[in-house]
Amino acid sequence: MRKEKEKVYIYTRVSTTMQIDGYSLDAQKARMKAFADFNNYEIVGEYEDAGKSGKSIEGRMQFSQMMEDIKSGKDGVSFVLVFKLSRFGRNAADVLSTLQIMQDFGVNLICVEDGIDSSKDAGKLMISVLSAVAEIERENIRVQTMEGRIQKAREGRWNGGFAPYGYCLVDGKLEINEEEAEAIRVIFQQYTTTDVGANGVAKYLENHGIRKIQRQNGKNPLFDASLVRMILKNPVYCGKIAYGRRRTEKVHGTRNDYRLVEQDNYLLVDGLHKGLVSEDVWQAAQVKLLAQARKYERANRGQNERTHLLTGIVKCPICGAGMYANKSIKYRKDGTKYKDFFYYACKHRTMTRGHKCDYRKQINEELLDGAVAEVIVKLVSNPKFAAMMQEKINMKVDTAAIDQEIANYEKQLRQSYSIKSKLMEEIDSLDPDDRHYIKRKADLDDRLYKMYDRIEEIESQLITARAKKQAIEAEKLTGDNIYKVLIYFEKLYALMDEVERRQLIEALISEIQIYPERQSNGQWLKSIKFRLPIIEHDMDLSLDNNDHMETAALLLRETT
């Protein structure tokens, strides 16, 4: 009877277009297919990650898909064929943990060129050694690549990657792209010859119809303030080449997470390309950037002295974004200062981060704050509301369901520990001279390992359930405190300072909606949505404002 072919997957990865050890990509596939034919394997799936590094398994879409197919048992494969172990991965921990997952699902790894088969006794040991070597090799390649880039920078040549906006790459050299360059020149001209900042430059570009030309490395068509600042800081625009402005640093406590950190000291040399602005103009931009950064820091420090009650809670009636407090200074006709005027405005009206909102209204902060406080005072002064709050405070939280869940997990845990102890006793009592000793022990070991997994799973579920109960009880305490504050809201609110009032409003209200236009009775406030289950139905409240009566429909439903 003819033996049925074992099914296999083929995986290939290329980080560059260069050949690997003299073998092109097609040649590598040919070798693996020949190996499969010789060993009577049936190839049922091919996976390839092009242009992906081997430093981590993260970001390799085809690799991830292959692992999902293995876990699901989609094709019933027995092996994964790779040309060399380094194509599978260069991070030792990733390679070994992935191999363990594969073997958990009955799949082994064969490295054709290295002659390694993880199903053999020495296979996994060789994989451990070679994957560690591959990781060291990857680090050496990284160091050599960095040294090559530093040398290119010293020679004034572009280091690779996408050309900065305003330039294009021709035979590896930066050449001016006049279609894009005009926007760069306008940015520097506006920033260095006017009083506007990066936000002002971004608005100028938008108002004059100057938008980014779409590229493969960018989707936002707007020159937002953040991008304007990046352009102003980049010395490439005055004919310089910089290296080391940002350094990739490993995030502490992680294996493969990295972040970019800006550096104060970096290599800066004259480039072989032509600058779009003079060095004097670029330096002037740096001076202004530094001055504005300090001014912004001082302004923020000053603003922090005043706490704004509804910042971020009140929503723009046009785009729905949070409205934030701003300050303007009112002057008398003779030029002397009259007073500071605080108001709420949509955060997107200045087109930050590429978003623009046309809502230009400035809502008097004092007026809106007062209206919100008035609504709450009217709400809590309702005798039915006060009685309802007292009832909620006296209500006991029902934890019967979660208590039963915890009890079930505790029972399962006791049973699992009992089974584990019995298994260990059985293993200890096995007779080594029994001709089935090895099989019996292997079977008991397998059951014991599975029981360890089961215990770990139950302990995790028990921790989650106990945390859930704790959260329910904590939420009840928090709710009770807020309900008590609400009952005495009017008296307490009058005694609170700005910070305490803000904290109370944040705990109490999730969002506030306003009308796009001020109403005939002078009101802006449209609705309030509370965080707590204060009332089970909508309530109409009558608000007095300059002898006018208004009914405000308040959304007093529990947020989900």
Side-chain angles (χ1 to χ4, degrees):
M1 184 175 178
R2 188 174 180 181
K3 184 181 178 182
E4 185 179 349
K5 288 186 176 182
E6 289 192 277
K7 297 177 181 179
V8 299
Y9 286 152
I10 282 182
Y11 176 75
T12 52
R13 176 187 62 81
V14 285
S15 55
T16 67
T17 55
M18 297 175 61
Q19 295 182 2
I20 308 298
D21 296 337
Y23 288 94
S24 67
L25 186 60
D26 289 339
Q28 293 175 50
K29 288 182 178 179
R31 282 288 304 273
M32 287 190 284
K33 288 178 180 178
F35 179 88
D37 288 340
F38 180 79
N39 288 277
N40 199 33
Y41 294 152
E42 179 187 356
I43 299 173
V44 294
E46 295 186 30
Y47 303 82
E48 178 184 323
D49 282 309
K52 298 296 182 181
S53 168
K55 72 177 183 180
S56 167
I57 61 174
E58 296 174 7
R60 289 198 255 160
M61 300 301 294
Q62 285 289 292
F63 187 91
S64 299
Q65 183 60 56
M66 179 183 72
M67 292 303 297
E68 288 301 316
D69 292 344
I70 287 173
K71 293 175 184 177
S72 68
K74 175 186 172 185
D75 299 301
V77 297
S78 301
F79 295 97
V80 170
L81 304 186
V82 295
F83 183 68
K84 295 190 69 172
L85 182 61
S86 60
R87 299 300 89 202
F88 191 72
R90 292 180 180 270
N91 181 302
D94 278 349
V95 169
L96 295 176
S97 62
T98 304
L99 178 58
Q100 184 60 58
I101 293 171
M102 287 170 53
Q103 289 183 326
D104 288 343
F105 289 90
V107 180
N108 277 286
L109 178 69
I110 294 179
C111 309
V112 174
E113 185 70 6
D114 297 324
I116 298 174
D117 182 346
S118 69
S119 66
K120 308 296 183 190
D121 291 339
K124 192 166 183 179
L125 174 62
M126 287 300 298
I127 286 174
S128 301
V129 174
L130 288 181
S131 57
V133 171
E135 186 168 358
I136 295 170
E137 180 188 351
R138 176 176 64 84
E139 183 63 21
N140 289 337
I141 291 171
R142 188 186 69 83
V143 172
Q144 292 167 9
T145 302
M146 285 181 61
E147 289 175 351
R149 288 178 176 175
I150 293 172
Q151 184 57 36
K152 286 179 73 174
R154 288 188 181 126
E155 295 170 0
R157 294 186 293 156
W158 183 244
N159 257 305
F162 292 109
Y165 195 85
Y167 290 94
C168 58
L169 282 173
V170 179
D171 296 328
K173 296 181 180 179
L174 292 179
E175 298 287 347
I176 294 175
N177 180 340
E178 287 297 341
E179 192 177 9
E180 296 178 347
E182 185 57 30
I184 302 298
R185 295 190 182 104
V186 170
I187 288 171
F188 276 94
Q189 186 271 332
Q190 283 292 309
Y191 191 74
T192 56
T193 61
T194 68
D195 293 332
V196 300
N199 275 318
V201 173
K203 285 190 283 187
Y204 178 89
L205 296 172
E206 172 67 11
N207 294 336
H208 287 75
I210 302 174
R211 293 198 160 201
K212 277 174 60 187
I213 297 170
Q214 292 299 291
R215 285 185 172 194
Q216 69 270 38
N217 63 324
K219 296 180 181 178
N220 189 352
L222 299 176
F223 285 99
D224 58 38
S226 176
L227 177 58
V228 168
R229 290 190 194 93
M230 287 178 63
I231 289 171
L232 291 168
K233 289 179 181 179
N234 197 338
V236 75
Y237 293 115
C238 68
K240 302 286 186 181
I241 289 291
Y243 184 82
R245 290 172 61 210
R246 291 180 293 274
R247 179 180 297 171
T248 302
E249 294 184 357
K250 189 173 181 290
V251 178
H252 184 70
T254 66
R255 182 188 298 170
N256 296 313
D257 292 340
Y258 295 84
R259 64 181 175 187
L260 285 175
V261 180
E262 290 199 10
Q263 305 296 310
D264 294 328
N265 298 316
Y266 54 86
L267 177 66
L268 186 65
V269 299
D270 292 329
L272 299 179
H273 66 287
K274 186 178 180 181
L276 294 178
V277 299
S278 69
E279 192 170 342
D280 289 341
V281 169
W282 187 80
Q283 291 290 355
Q286 307 317 298
V287 171
K288 185 174 178 179
L289 281 167
L290 185 59
Q292 286 199 324
R294 289 172 178 168
K295 180 181 177 182
Y296 178 75
E297 186 179 334
R298 288 197 300 273
N300 272 356
R301 196 159 50 235
Q303 275 192 343
N304 286 339
E305 294 173 3
R306 178 185 177 94
T307 301
H308 304 280
L309 189 68
L310 306 178
T311 285
I313 299 175
V314 59
K315 304 300 180 181
C316 172
I318 302 300
C319 72
M323 299 182 74
Y324 286 79
N326 292 277
K327 183 180 81 169
S328 66
I329 302 174
K330 298 293 185 182
Y331 294 93
R332 296 185 179 91
K333 290 183 179 180
D334 61 2
T336 59
K337 180 179 177 181
Y338 172 55
K339 70 172 183 178
D340 292 336
F341 173 71
F342 293 93
Y343 61 91
Y344 294 110
C346 178
K347 72 174 183 177
H348 286 159
R349 71 182 189 139
T350 57
M351 205 187 71
T352 55
R353 298 187 179 180
H355 301 283
K356 186 176 182 181
C357 180
D358 295 327
Y359 189 66
R360 299 293 178 184
K361 298 289 183 182
Q362 297 177 350
I363 316 300
N364 186 298
E365 181 183 298
E366 186 177 351
L367 180 67
L368 192 59
D369 290 356
V372 171
E374 184 181 359
V375 167
I376 300 174
V377 168
K378 284 184 176 292
L379 177 65
V380 299
S381 63
N382 186 318
K384 291 183 179 179
F385 178 85
M388 196 185 315
M389 291 300 95
Q390 194 63 52
E391 183 182 341
K392 287 184 177 292
I393 292 171
N394 296 332
M395 186 184 300
K396 290 185 178 180
V397 63
D398 184 10
T399 60
I402 193 69
D403 285 338
Q404 184 60 50
E405 187 178 344
I406 290 171
N408 289 338
Y409 287 140
E410 289 174 340
K411 181 179 179 181
Q412 291 175 34
L413 196 59
R414 287 193 298 271
Q415 291 173 342
S416 296
Y417 271 114
S418 176
I419 294 171
K420 185 197 79 169
S421 297
K422 289 178 180 177
L423 286 171
M424 294 178 71
E425 288 175 5
E426 285 187 56
I427 292 172
D428 291 339
S429 64
L430 285 175
D431 182 4
D433 295 329
D434 185 343
R435 65 191 184 93
H436 298 301
Y437 172 78
I438 294 177
K439 290 182 180 180
R440 291 181 191 275
K441 187 175 185 305
D443 179 58
L444 289 171
D445 283 342
D446 183 56
R447 290 168 59 191
L448 181 62
Y449 293 146
K450 286 179 181 178
M451 189 50 60
Y452 276 120
D453 291 338
R454 177 61 180 153
I455 289 172
E456 186 177 340
E457 180 186 354
I458 297 171
E459 286 177 339
S460 176
Q461 292 170 333
L462 181 59
I463 290 170
T464 303
R466 285 172 175 168
K468 192 187 298 182
K469 180 181 178 180
Q470 189 175 3
I472 292 171
E473 292 172 338
E475 186 178 345
K476 173 69 166 61
L477 290 173
T478 302
D480 286 352
N481 291 335
I482 294 177
Y483 291 143
K484 289 173 184 176
V485 171
L486 276 171
I487 292 174
Y488 303 102
F489 179 84
E490 187 172 8
K491 293 179 180 178
L492 290 171
Y493 192 79
L495 299 174
M496 286 178 172
D497 60 27
E498 291 177 345
V499 175
E500 290 170 334
R501 287 180 178 180
R502 169 68 185 185
Q503 290 172 344
L504 175 61
I505 292 297
E506 279 184 316
L508 184 62
I509 296 172
S510 62
E511 68 178 52
I512 294 170
Q513 298 292 340
I514 61 170
Y515 293 106
E517 299 289 340
R518 192 171 183 178
Q519 301 300 287
S520 59
N521 60 4
Q523 282 290 343
W524 286 100
L525 185 61
K526 183 179 180 182
S527 66
I528 300 176
K529 191 174 183 181
F530 288 87
R531 292 188 182 279
L532 295 172
I534 295 175
I535 195 167
E536 277 66 33
H537 55 82
D538 291 356
M539 174 180 281
D540 288 339
L541 295 176
S542 178
L543 301 178
D544 287 332
N545 189 22
N546 297 329
D547 298 326
H548 291 283
M549 299 292 289
E550 178 193 61
T551 298
L554 301 182
L555 306 179
L556 305 179
R557 60 179 179 270
E558 180 182 4
T559 58
T560 55

